[in-house]
Amino acid sequence: MKWTNKGHQFDSLGNVFRKRSSVLVYAASAPGVELVEKYKSLGIFAGFIDRDLDKQKTGAAGLPVYSPDMLFKQRDEEHLILVSFKAEYDNQNISARLRRAGYRQNVDFFLFRDFLGHIGVNSYYVSIYMFYAQNKIILPSTCTIPSTACNLNCRHCLNFTPYMEKFESRSLKEVCDDIDVLFNVVDYTFRFQISGGEPLLYKDFAELVDYIGKKYRHKIDVYETVFNGTVVPSEIVCETIKRNDMQVYLDNYVGEIPQAMNKREEIIERLESYGIDWLDNTVPDWFNLDVENTDFCDLPDETMEEWFDICNNPWHCWEKGKLYVCNFTEFAVKAGLLVEDENDCFDLQNLQEKDRAALLEFTLGYSERGYAQLCRRCAGWADVNPKRVKVAEQAKCKLSKPSWAV
């Protein structure tokens, strides 16, 4: 989607949020308390609303608990209200009562799930709120790639590894300096991933994990990485991952390339011996970006803007002082398929205050062109993409670039 008034796309909603610089959570039951404790570092919660007299005396999650009279005996113009009950009936009942009292849903109050969105995928309202109420920039998700090196050559790799003439590995100092630039501007990200390639092939992986963890862990909700299941992490790496509360996604290609997966059980055993939070990334198939056969070049810009919105890829990529609107577009640039286009990225170096509203819009998928250049050659991300291929099918050699590539 393309903005029509650069830097002011969300001003109407922002004017409401500016007046409501803190949040009340309705109610002080387990779901609300858990979410407040999880996102306390956002610094926006002022307390709870709950009719329970005992909770009003003791408080919850270190915050005061107020009577519902605070909202219904007079209109509260100072707080944003987030409704958070376990039962959907209760959420709808309180929402209806708030509407009858003159509060506007998705303006003055939100269901907690709508406000936060699907974290790491769609954090639309919380990003806008944090900007206008707190002057903070929040990302749904971003990744950094210290090295493109990989010991597999998956035919349908989303990083376009089989097209790369050579692997790139950046120095630890260069990557750390880059991370400093990012978090000098970005106040919080719901997901931050150290990606690859295979991250364990980056010789300074443990040092990078530690650097980010020590300086910026408080700005990251889910700190994560993805291992392809072929390399056993060292004890130092495991200690570092555990120390920084990092989550590991572990790929599983045992059924497809068992000879390369002979260390997977050893990897699992080591992760579990350190108490590391790991997720079994076993999937029945992959979605195929199909850059060789996809051709939307004759479609008008308006259609491409709609396609970009429908695709809704949440992943930004961060590299060399620039935030990329689509990680796959940056991967295609790194693989030599595309020439970098300034409309695909936002330069955060020497960012001026006047540019922060435009940056907010960019993080939510708005740009001057309205879509990424790869969109015309890409079948789309995840659910919008019907094209499915075998997991981890290995190419026997480097692939020839598509005829349209640079």
Side-chain angles (χ1 to χ4, degrees):
M1 187 179 296
K2 185 185 296 184
W3 67 62
T4 55
N5 186 7
K6 186 175 180 180
H8 298 283
Q9 182 72 28
F10 308 112
D11 268 2
S12 177
L13 189 57
N15 287 333
V16 175
F17 288 164
R18 282 191 183 97
K19 301 173 184 177
R20 301 177 180 274
S21 59
S22 58
V23 171
L24 292 175
V25 177
Y26 204 138
S29 53
V33 170
E34 289 172 5
L35 285 167
V36 166
E37 290 178 338
K38 183 174 178 62
Y39 298 113
K40 189 173 289 187
S41 61
L42 292 178
I44 60 175
F45 300 108
F48 295 88
I49 298 294
D50 202 296
R51 63 183 181 182
D52 188 309
L53 296 178
D54 290 333
K55 291 179 180 178
Q56 291 175 24
K57 294 176 182 177
T58 61
L63 296 173
V65 176
Y66 302 103
S67 166
D69 290 347
M70 181 175 178
L71 302 181
F72 298 115
K73 284 198 170 181
Q74 60 183 12
R75 183 179 169 84
D76 185 334
E77 301 284 355
E78 297 181 9
H79 301 96
L80 192 72
I81 306 161
L82 301 184
V83 180
S84 180
F85 286 90
K86 184 175 183 179
E88 184 61 21
Y89 171 82
D90 292 324
N91 285 319
Q92 296 305 323
N93 185 40
I94 294 299
S95 295
R97 187 180 178 192
L98 286 165
R99 288 193 296 269
R100 289 195 299 271
Y103 295 97
R104 297 164 293 176
Q105 188 162 356
N106 293 342
V107 178
D108 303 314
F109 80 94
F110 293 81
L111 295 181
F112 217 135
R113 63 170 182 266
D114 293 338
F115 182 70
L116 288 173
H118 182 183
I119 296 305
V121 176
N122 180 10
S123 306
Y124 180 84
Y125 285 118
V126 68
S127 295
I128 299 170
Y129 176 78
M130 291 300 295
F131 179 79
Y132 284 98
Q134 304 284 335
N135 194 31
K136 293 180 179 179
I137 295 291
I138 289 185
L139 297 180
S141 52
T142 193
C143 65
T144 188
I145 304 175
S147 170
T148 59
C150 190
N151 56 349
L152 298 179
N153 196 37
C154 299
R155 172 68 179 79
H156 300 286
C157 175
L158 298 178
N159 292 34
F160 305 113
T161 297
Y163 294 107
M164 293 182 180
E165 296 295 332
K166 62 179 181 179
F167 295 137
E168 173 188 283
S169 186
R170 305 170 68 201
S171 72
L172 178 62
K173 183 180 186 308
E174 182 181 6
V175 180
C176 290
D177 288 347
D178 215 24
I179 297 299
D180 289 340
V181 173
L182 175 69
F183 283 110
N184 185 51
V185 175
V186 172
D187 297 283
Y188 197 81
T189 179
F190 287 107
R191 295 178 70 180
F192 186 92
Q193 184 178 106
I194 300 178
S195 189
E198 165 53 49
L200 289 174
L201 297 182
Y202 182 59
K203 66 182 182 64
D204 297 315
F205 177 76
E207 290 82 355
L208 179 58
V209 170
D210 238 358
Y211 183 86
I212 296 171
K214 288 178 180 177
K215 293 193 69 174
Y216 304 114
R217 190 64 183 86
H218 64 289
K219 291 189 171 189
I220 299 170
D221 182 4
V222 179
Y223 187 22
E224 64 186 51
T225 191
V226 181
F227 296 160
N228 68 16
T230 66
V231 181
V232 180
S234 69
E235 293 185 2
I236 291 176
V237 164
C238 288
E239 290 169 358
T240 306
I241 288 174
K242 180 62 177 177
R243 180 167 60 248
N244 290 284
D245 189 25
M246 195 179 205
Q247 188 175 83
V248 173
Y249 283 84
L250 186 63
D251 292 336
N252 182 4
Y253 312 140
V254 171
E256 291 72 27
I257 45 175
Q259 70 280 4
M261 294 283 115
N262 61 359
K263 295 185 182 296
R264 192 170 187 274
E265 290 304 317
E266 184 180 349
I267 296 170
I268 292 172
E269 183 178 343
R270 178 154 293 184
L271 294 176
E272 291 185 344
S273 71
Y274 281 87
I276 291 171
D277 181 15
W278 72 278
L279 292 90
D280 186 355
N281 200 24
T282 301
V283 294
D285 51 35
W286 282 353
F287 62 89
N288 182 13
L289 298 181
D290 198 17
V291 296
E292 293 101 334
N293 302 305
T294 303
D295 187 354
F296 297 145
C297 292
D298 292 334
L299 296 180
D301 284 346
E302 292 78 7
T303 302
M304 294 309 304
E305 291 170 30
E306 292 175 3
W307 171 239
F308 180 79
D309 290 347
I310 294 169
C311 177
N312 196 30
N313 174 20
W315 283 104
H316 300 286
C317 187
W318 172 251
E319 186 167 302
K320 299 176 182 177
K322 296 176 182 178
L323 189 68
Y324 293 84
V325 70
C326 170
N327 60 332
F328 301 134
T329 296
E330 169 58 1
F331 297 164
V333 171
K334 293 173 78 66
L337 303 183
L338 296 172
V339 174
E340 184 175 293
D341 187 317
E342 64 179 8
N343 289 308
D344 290 330
C345 57
F346 203 110
D347 194 337
L348 299 192
Q349 299 178 91
N350 304 312
L351 183 76
Q352 302 296 310
E353 185 65 28
K354 63 182 178 63
D355 297 322
R356 285 173 59 83
L359 173 59
L360 168 69
E361 295 181 355
F362 186 84
T363 66
L364 294 174
Y366 294 75
S367 67
E368 292 195 24
R369 181 171 54 208
Y371 57 93
Q373 61 171 325
L374 184 65
C375 290
R376 291 195 177 274
R377 296 291 183 177
C378 179
W381 181 76
D383 293 342
V384 304
N385 187 340
K387 299 182 179 182
R388 291 295 185 269
V389 291
K390 289 175 60 178
V391 170
E393 179 183 355
Q394 296 298 293
K396 295 181 180 179
C397 60
K398 294 296 180 184
L399 299 180
S400 298
K401 294 180 181 179
S403 59
W404 55 264
V406 295

